[in-house]
Amino acid sequence: MIEAIYTFPSNFLWGTATASHQVEGENTNNDWWLWEQELGRIRNGHRSGKACEWWAGRWKEDFDRAATDGQNAHRLSLEWSRIEPMPGQWDHNAIERYREIIKGAIDCGLKPMVTLHHFTNPIWMVEQGGWLADEIVEWFERYTRLVVGELADLVELWITINEPNVFGYEGFLNGGFPPGGGSMRELYQAMRNMVLAHAASYHSIHEIQPEASVGVAHHYRGMNPARMWSPLDRWVTNFRSRTFNDSFPQAVSTGQFHMMGRRERFPQAANTQDFFGLNYYTTERVTFDLRKPTELFTRGFFPPDADLSPGDFIANEPAGMWKALQWAHGFGLPIYITENGVEDAEDRIRPRYLASHVREVWRAVNFNWYVRGYFWWSLVDNFEWERGWTQRFGLWELDVETQERRRRSSADLYAEICKANGLSTDMVARFAPQAFRSIFPGASLEKPEDQIAS
Ligand code: GAL
């Protein structure tokens, strides 16, 4: 086989992403911990418990694995409830621990990207109204200032809020996340407060650390009309995508927040991103459905021939990554893929998912778009929110009881990609032969001598 390789720029960041509550363990002072104690909230009654024991020190062995496998960056998040256990009271031991973890990452060659808010909230903050209270903007700014003041010498890449849309819809409309759903009005209120909190946080970071690079991790869900010929399906797809995908990024780009027919101007939120963080997982078909008021009278589903993850949660749709990148590129900022991944305990679909998605990222790079890095979700299996431990996203498998880690074959593939700073025909032939033709359409799996003979 003639070797071909899709090569990335020399300073490209290759990493994995994690979030505090999903990996640290014993996060007893936030709303998710309380939520997990309630009957029926988490699949199979699972709890985060000790998670991956990062707080107890196992971050070190996981970072070592990542670094040995050629990664040069890691995205992690800080647990607000540890840093500020009571309003205005700072736990300096917790901050010290985060310094140690972040320094540990740097020492083994992983550039840190740090998220300030990844779904979880201190209990005191929720008791005072959480994201529906207007004071959240001040609270988030105060927390930002403290953290950035303490960590600016170690961290250059900051994410203020992870997936405002997923957090908003799950928490304030659908109810999969605490506080357990509400109404369109509450969703709007939470989202607008996130726009304002992000803007305040962005400006404070730059005041303290002018050279910092700050963004949001935006979740983009690919959506195609179920029936292309149906004007109604086309209209609702467009509406669902605009509401879910576009409202937040538009607001922090233009300063105009527009959602579900309401519009507000927040000039302080205009141009408050230095890079565009993109989380992409999958693409769905969308149709009109009167029975789905909480989904804005739309219904998303995967087609019968989709290449689905074992829990039917994610369809392997790399074309959607390309669309997501085109969309992100439209914001005119450097792009980091801040999450991309698939749940797959058996590692059956992960290798082809990984290779196919990396190939789409390369296409964007090849157009000279400013794609700066790629963070796979995730390094090791971790607590998957309302789906508990039933979904496994890790390059490394975790035995939750013994804390033993076992390498999946996708870890080998990702290590080869990171070390080569590219994706080659040889890698795809060995790890994801089913995707070979779509990834390298011009190449042949056969050896040249076989080709001549045939
Ligand atoms: C994202 C989220 C992560 C992780 C991932 C896999 O929405 O930011 O925390 O759970 O999905 O489902």
Side-chain angles (χ1 to χ4, degrees):
M1 183 170 65
I2 297 165
E3 179 96 22
I5 181 160
Y6 295 135
T7 304
F8 285 72
S10 58
N11 49 0
F12 197 79
L13 294 188
W14 291 104
T16 50
T18 54
S20 55
H21 190 72
Q22 296 179 271
V23 293
E24 286 179 356
E26 304 292 343
N27 253 322
T28 55
N29 203 18
N30 70 25
D31 55 350
W32 265 89
W33 188 268
L34 296 187
W35 186 249
E36 291 161 29
Q37 317 306 314
E38 290 179 25
L39 208 65
R41 294 300 192 192
I42 314 292
R43 204 177 282 175
N44 297 351
H46 286 168
R47 294 180 178 179
S48 56
K50 294 183 177 162
C52 311
E53 289 193 344
W54 273 28
W55 198 248
R58 285 192 196 267
W59 56 268
K60 183 149 188 11
E61 53 175 286
D62 287 331
F63 284 175
D64 283 344
R65 291 185 179 101
T68 308
D69 279 349
Q71 293 172 37
N72 59 7
H74 187 78
R75 175 176 171 228
L76 72 157
S77 81
L78 306 179
E79 182 59 39
W80 185 354
S81 63
R82 287 194 192 275
I83 294 175
E84 192 181 2
M86 294 298 281
Q89 281 179 23
W90 310 105
D91 182 338
H92 290 280
N93 291 331
I95 298 164
E96 254 326 294
R97 184 80 63 91
Y98 279 122
R99 280 194 69 82
E100 190 192 329
I101 297 174
I102 295 167
K103 253 186 113 302
I106 297 168
D107 288 345
C108 65
L110 304 173
K111 186 179 174 80
M113 174 182 271
V114 174
T115 307
L116 295 172
H117 186 274
H118 196 124
F119 295 166
T120 53
N121 301 290
I123 292 171
W124 63 261
M125 178 273 222
V126 170
E127 283 174 351
Q128 294 183 35
W131 285 91
L132 297 177
D134 291 337
E135 293 84 347
I136 181 64
V137 182
E138 264 166 58
W139 300 331
F140 193 61
E141 180 177 347
R142 184 175 67 188
Y143 159 65
T144 303
R145 284 183 181 274
L146 188 279
V147 162
V148 177
E150 298 280 347
L151 301 175
D153 58 324
L154 301 177
V155 182
E156 184 201 332
L157 297 172
W158 296 99
I159 299 265
T160 56
I161 303 178
N162 178 67
E163 299 190 337
N165 56 353
V166 172
F167 177 66
Y169 277 79
E170 287 304 321
F172 299 92
L173 190 64
N174 297 337
F177 289 6
S183 59
M184 300 280 195
R185 201 187 53 76
E186 289 188 354
L187 169 64
Y188 183 91
Q189 174 75 2
M191 296 291 290
R192 78 176 296 272
N193 284 349
M194 279 190 265
V195 172
L196 294 170
H198 158 79
S201 177
Y202 175 89
H203 293 300
S204 340
I205 299 175
H206 276 292
E207 221 179 283
I208 301 168
Q209 189 187 2
E211 72 286 5
S213 211
V214 186
V216 172
H218 299 284
H219 181 102
Y220 176 90
R221 191 165 175 94
M223 299 180 196
N224 292 322
R227 298 160 302 179
M228 270 314 283
W229 52 263
S230 156
L232 195 55
D233 281 2
R234 287 208 302 271
W235 191 85
V236 292
T237 306
N238 190 19
F239 174 67
R240 181 171 158 113
S241 178
R242 276 212 324 268
T243 314
F244 186 74
N245 290 327
D246 290 307
S247 295
F248 196 93
Q250 284 295 345
V252 296
S253 167
T254 62
Q256 304 250 13
F257 181 53
H258 184 198
M259 200 178 159
M260 296 179 305
R262 284 181 68 184
R263 192 185 287 273
E264 283 180 275
R265 275 181 52 78
F266 300 125
Q268 70 273 42
N271 302 316
T272 51
Q273 298 179 104
D274 305 314
F275 63 84
F276 197 94
L278 173 65
N279 292 3
Y280 171 77
Y281 286 87
T282 197
T283 294
E284 64 189 6
R285 303 273 171 86
V286 177
T287 189
F288 175 70
D289 194 335
L290 261 179
R291 293 162 306 179
K292 297 270 179 188
T294 61
E295 300 210 20
L296 315 167
F297 299 105
T298 63
R299 181 166 53 87
F301 64 95
F302 297 130
D305 60 345
D307 185 17
L308 288 180
S309 65
D312 293 350
F313 185 60
I314 289 170
N316 177 17
E317 291 282 357
M321 171 63 99
W322 171 247
K323 264 181 88 171
L325 281 160
Q326 271 182 311
W327 170 81
H329 180 63
F331 289 88
L333 294 165
I335 299 169
Y336 288 96
I337 315 297
T338 36
E339 286 179 31
N340 175 226
V342 63
E343 51 95 12
D344 182 10
E346 303 299 325
D347 214 33
R348 187 181 50 80
I349 135 169
R350 188 178 286 103
R352 65 175 175 270
Y353 180 103
L354 169 59
S356 315
H357 284 73
V358 164
R359 195 258 182 169
E360 297 306 311
V361 178
W362 173 82
R363 282 178 69 198
V365 166
N366 200 38
F367 274 106
N368 280 328
W369 297 357
Y370 307 128
V371 187
R372 296 272 165 83
Y374 176 85
F375 293 83
W376 176 259
W377 186 275
S378 180
L379 176 54
V380 55
D381 287 344
N382 54 52
F383 182 72
E384 184 46 37
W385 307 114
E386 79 279 27
R387 294 176 300 281
W389 295 99
T390 64
Q391 291 194 352
R392 303 303 185 109
F393 279 83
L395 292 174
W396 289 76
E397 181 184 340
L398 175 77
D399 181 323
V400 187
E401 294 306 315
T402 64
Q403 284 293 317
E404 201 184 311
R405 274 83 166 144
R406 218 178 21 231
R407 198 177 172 86
R408 293 194 168 105
S409 111
S410 293
D412 294 332
L413 170 59
Y414 195 49
E416 291 198 23
I417 294 172
C418 298
K419 287 178 183 170
N421 194 28
L423 177 73
S424 72
T425 38
D426 174 56
M427 293 173 203
V428 178
R430 280 183 292 121
F431 290 97
Q434 317 86 337
F436 190 90
R437 270 178 207 292
S438 60
I439 295 178
F440 288 103
S444 162
L445 258 175
E446 293 168 36
K447 297 196 194 87
E449 54 271 29
D450 298 340
Q451 288 178 34
I452 293 161
S454 62

